Each structure stands twice: as structure tokens, then as C-alpha cells.
Amino acid sequence: MTSHQNTQTMKPATAAKKLGVYLPATPTEFQEGVVSRAELNALQTDPPEWLRELRRNGPHPRPVVAAKLGVSISGLARGGITDALTTEQIDALKQDLPEWLQKERATQADVRKEAARIKKKSEEREEREERN
């Protein structure tokens, strides 16, 4: 009995998420097909022009927008940003630096500091336990 490996495929939405692009902005053939693991790897390794263009100029999905602005996805929602944004729109927000963005960046910085403090405390505890 021989075993054969099935090709692992994913929905376009999953592939777009893994590629960090906004699905509605991708070509129709990408949106309507399925993507194999090999195709996804090929897109990541040697992206076609449409993918390079989307990554460069957008529109970008909310996780990418949040990362570029230095805030959480929840922070985007609190700031009233619910749609994908282009790089130009993101740059304009960075220039204008509205009050909500300043507040959310400060909140994100506090969250990161607290996470680092907890991690350090945990590492110190583990070191003490290893010595005992």
C-alpha cells in the first residue's frame, strides 16, 4: 500500500492574511481560487508585481495598519478606523497625529512595558527555582 500526500490548500482569505494583504484588493483570480501551500510559498519567496504593489501602497488590512501606526487593532477601532487604509492615508495620519492616535500609542507603549516587566519577573523566578 502506497501513501500519497494530499496537497494542502487554503481559502483565499487565509492566504491573504498570511501574505499580509487586503483580500478585496487582490486580483479576481486570487480571490476566486484556492491557494496551495506551494503557491503560498512561491508568492512569499518571489512576489508578483500585484503583491509587491499591494504591500507597498495598500490598501492594507487592519493588522498591518495597526502595526504601521504602532497601535492595537482595538485601538484602531476606538479611533474610528474600521476599513483598510492605503500607505498614503497611514502616512497622513502619522503626520497629523490626531489625539486618539497619540493616546493609543501611549497605551500600546504601556502594554509593552508591562509585558516586558512580567516576562522579566517570570525569568527571575525561574532562575531562583533552578538554583534551589
Side-chain angles (χ1 to χ4, degrees):
M1 191 169 162
T2 60
S3 65
H4 50 71
Q5 191 172 6
N6 289 340
T7 302
Q8 184 181 11
T9 60
M10 61 193 83
K11 294 177 182 175
T14 303
K17 187 174 183 179
K18 289 179 181 286
L19 292 169
V21 295
Y22 184 57
L23 180 62
T26 61
T28 306
E29 58 271 9
F30 181 86
Q31 293 178 37
E32 294 176 352
V34 293
V35 180
S36 71
R37 175 62 63 185
E39 290 169 332
L40 179 69
N41 290 340
L43 287 169
Q44 289 172 324
T45 308
D46 185 23
E49 183 55 36
W50 66 263
L51 182 53
R52 288 195 298 269
E53 180 67 22
L54 274 179
R55 286 178 170 168
R56 187 172 33 252
N57 298 317
H60 303 286
R62 290 184 325 140
V64 173
V65 173
K68 287 179 179 272
L69 290 174
V71 299
S72 67
I73 295 173
S74 299
L76 280 181
R78 286 190 292 270
I81 307 295
T82 57
D83 296 325
L85 297 179
T86 63
T87 300
E88 189 176 308
Q89 291 169 314
I90 293 168
D91 291 343
L93 278 172
K94 287 179 178 179
Q95 284 285 320
D96 296 345
L97 210 58
E99 187 177 328
W100 72 265
L101 182 55
Q102 295 174 40
K103 181 181 174 195
E104 291 301 333
R105 281 181 166 178
T107 299
Q108 191 71 2
D110 291 344
V111 167
R112 287 188 185 120
K113 281 182 203 170
E114 180 64 8
R117 185 191 69 78
I118 291 170
K119 182 179 177 186
K120 183 178 178 187
K121 189 174 182 178
S122 176
E123 289 170 351
E124 290 171 351
R125 187 179 328 112
E126 287 176 13
E127 285 178 19
R128 280 194 305 268
E129 289 173 1
E130 287 176 5
R131 282 182 266 166
N132 293 335

